[in-house]
Amino acid sequence: MRVLRSVGREWRRVSAEPDVWRRALPVDPDLGSLPTPAQITPARFGRVVRVSPFGPTAPTAAPSPLAPAGTAEGGPPAPDAEPRPVDRPRAVYRLRRLLLGPALASTALARERMRKLVALPVLSADALSSVAYGPEAMLAVLVLAGTAGLGYSIPIAATIVFLMLAIGVSYRQTIRAYPRGGGSYIVASDNLGLFPGLAAAAGLMTDYILTVAVSISAGVAAITSAVPSLASSNVLIGVLAILVLLACNLRGIRQAGAIFAAPTYAFVIAMLALIVAGLVDAAGRDFHTVPHPPLNATEGLGILLVMRAFASGATAMTGIEAISNAVPAFKPVEWRNARTTLSWMVGLLVVLFAGIIALVHFSGILPRSQETVLSQLAHLSFGSGPMYVFTQAATAAVLLLAANTAFNDFPRVLSLLARDDHAPRLFARMGDRLAFSNGIILLSVAAGLVYVAFDGRTASLIPLYAVGVFLAFTLSQAGMVVHWWRLRDRHWRKSLLFNATGSLLSAIVLITAGITKFTEGAWVALVAVALFLVVTTRIRRHYDTVAAALRLQRHAIELPHHTITPRAVVPPKGVEGVDGSPASRELRDPRAFDETERARGAEEAEEVPEEIRHLSLVPIQTLDRAGMRALAYAASLQQPVLVIHVSTGAAEAERFRDQWLLWGDHLPLQELVSPYRAVIAPLVNYIEALHHQRPDLTLTVILPEIVVSQRRYSALHSRTAPRLRRALRPLRKVVVTTVPFHV
């Protein structure tokens, strides 16, 4: 701020007074604003009222002269839908609206929050559905040691239940300490440092990708257990399921929640019915176990095999952290609703996991390659009737949709990394439907590749699974131990004990999984974590380099040695400048222009320099060295200059305005607030509206653009300048030039 004020003083020394620049403007930059809700009168049978983006106009048969070109007859776009991006074909825009629905304003974010009844199935689907493969994964390891190995199923399951309760209580403390969302990345970064935070994020990202792949593969296995003829198409079915999840989540949080609530509740009902029916049947036998077929041990029973079974069974805990990551997605009071939902989720998870293990113990069922354990239990309790079909359908549906937990949390974690400059900044932007669309697309692609690479086999994916999630668990809970030790508020000793217990148990599972499953595929997850750390640190280093280059420095600003004064624009015959005279007041209404003058001005027929009347427009986002260079270039032309800033909300607009005033307000500034987070469309609409106001002017749009020396880093920077250049090319009498800033 001190440097900005200093640079402003240097500008004052060499630039004309701000009033001189404002009087030189040949246009009125204030084109109005959207009408208030009280001014909007919907049609008799509709909800949409078409109004001009630049001033209230009644819906009439003829479009407003201030409306941007390309809008529908009867007026420009409605205020509840984003203006069509002018650099995209209309067919593409209509297809997006058909698939995703109308764009939502940023003020709709509160309406996209989830209540507890929706949040429970949306955020708990991963954890609850894991009982469909977690117990089976544990038994598949124990059965290698024969009957003696199966005897350890109850003690191992009891240990896993205790671990579930400990981790659940630990994450309740995390939600209390971080009421705005305390995912493993935030907690570890705040309390343990940069690299532990990135390692926790790497574990989470790996876990979310595998969550999608494993959930889809287990869901397809449930389908093929009931319909064996579909077994040969398991990869195709899984890929189609991922595409459906992609489309649903791009529509936004609330829509995805409504879609995914019913299957999760149906699965819980089916599992509770299965457990009750199985226990009633076991009670009829006085809880005597049914002998299982004779088993031949293929491995010796030892501590290593028991630990492998424990690590495999612990995959039933994946997804417990999802609620602490998504606290801001709850309706107020967010943290209280999140803790309540977490308690319900852990309670249901314990009941379902323990119930399935008990049924397997009493029924004598063993894992089989042709049919899942749940399918065998359902056949035993319900036969092949409607309840069996319902159980299998609910299991398949919730497993196919359990990946939605990852679709909620993966983009959120990626956006936090982008906010901290550890990932490309495009992942921090929300899409039309208030979802992090770029992160959702990346997750779909990554999960689809993993699923296809492993041929959709759940058994092959499980060994990769535990490392990432328990790495995140361990670092998050260790971070909470440090948090309570530093804070030492009320009940801090109890909270520290809970989190220390959770951290210790998670570390045991992590080490166990890393050692026992290393050769089975855990090494892939470890390599992925290492690569993630390398990539994110390189991205951060690049952004730090660019930030240092762009940072304002008083002596780095080159200023001319003479005073810069804008030359007045001579208006065409019969038209005065914007100076308050009657003629200029008529100028503000484009309908006052004579049609012949409008037509002549639109022909771009200037053939000599004297006929060209200039106005320089400088779209600018931040007052850094690149922006200052663009402002200096525009002012040095000694033509009228208008600076345009597009803000995504009132807070951002106020913050930029304060910085602009601190700099000195040397040039005329017009702020545009874009409620749909779009930048290109509002700028083009505004520039076109200025052209309608003065068709005789040649508008020169001067864009600051960062040019990186190494092309591999170009994807890390905004493509706003090339997109705006492409969007403005079709407009008459608009010249686009870029002021490159090389880094």
Side-chain angles (χ1 to χ4, degrees), residues 252-492:
I253 293 174
R254 187 176 62 181
Q255 284 71 16
I259 293 171
F260 299 152
T264 306
Y265 282 128
F267 174 75
V268 172
I269 293 172
M271 290 300 100
L272 292 177
L274 177 62
I275 292 170
V276 170
L279 292 179
V280 169
D281 182 64
R285 306 188 308 268
D286 293 331
F287 293 103
H288 292 303
T289 59
V290 175
H292 52 70
L295 293 174
N296 295 320
T298 58
E299 291 189 22
L301 179 61
I303 186 64
L304 191 62
L305 184 137
V306 171
M307 297 301 285
R308 280 171 55 197
F310 173 68
S312 295
T315 56
M317 296 177 52
T318 57
I320 285 183
E321 83 289 348
I323 292 178
S324 69
N325 290 342
V327 174
F330 283 82
K331 286 189 173 182
V333 177
E334 291 88 346
W335 67 270
R336 184 175 299 145
N337 290 334
R339 291 189 70 176
T340 303
T341 305
L342 177 64
S343 300
W344 275 102
M345 182 191 73
V346 173
L348 285 172
L349 179 60
V350 168
V351 169
L352 297 184
F353 181 84
I356 295 299
I357 291 293
L359 292 187
V360 171
H361 176 72
F362 289 125
S363 64
I365 285 177
L366 299 176
R368 295 192 313 195
S369 59
Q370 297 84 8
E371 188 177 9
T372 64
V373 167
L374 275 185
S375 177
Q376 296 180 62
L377 290 174
H379 262 136
L380 188 63
S381 298
F382 304 134
S384 299
M387 276 304 296
Y388 170 78
V389 175
F390 173 74
T391 301
Q392 286 301 99
T395 302
V398 77
L399 282 167
L400 292 174
L401 300 179
N404 186 66
T405 302
F407 276 95
N408 276 279
D409 287 337
F410 179 95
R412 194 183 305 275
V413 174
L414 192 55
S415 72
L416 294 175
L417 288 168
R419 180 198 66 183
D420 296 339
D421 290 341
H422 291 297
R425 289 171 182 166
L426 62 91
F427 291 113
R429 294 201 300 265
M430 282 189 170
D432 294 348
R433 302 291 296 179
L434 297 176
F436 296 106
S437 305
N438 294 320
I440 291 172
I441 294 172
L442 177 63
L443 173 61
S444 302
V445 173
L449 291 175
V450 171
Y451 180 82
V452 173
F454 285 84
D455 202 25
R457 295 190 300 267
T458 307
S460 301
L461 291 166
I462 287 292
L464 285 71
Y465 209 10
V467 173
V469 64
F470 281 98
L471 174 62
F473 282 177
T474 302
L475 292 173
S476 174
Q477 299 310 307
M480 288 304 303
V481 171
V482 175
H483 172 82
W484 297 123
W485 180 260
R486 290 173 175 172
L487 190 61
R488 302 194 184 192
D489 63 349
R490 186 181 178 187
H491 304 308
W492 71 273

Side-chain angles (χ1 to χ4, degrees), residues 499-518:
N499 289 120
T501 303
S503 177
L504 177 62
L505 294 175
S506 299
I508 292 174
V509 179
L510 173 63
I511 296 171
T512 302
I515 294 175
T516 61
K517 295 182 177 295
F518 184 83

Side-chain angles (χ1 to χ4, degrees), residues 73 96 116 119 128 135 167 172 232 261 275 279 350 352 376 447 474 555 560 589 596 696 703:
E73 190 175 22
R96 285 180 52 142
K116 287 178 287 187
L128 296 179
I167 297 297
R172 278 180 58 90
S232 60
I275 292 170
L279 292 179
V350 168
L352 297 184
Q376 296 180 62
T474 302
H555 301 293
D589 184 358
T596 57
D696 61 296
L703 302 172

Side-chain angles (χ1 to χ4, degrees), residues 72-83:
E73 190 175 22
D80 62 341
E82 178 193 7

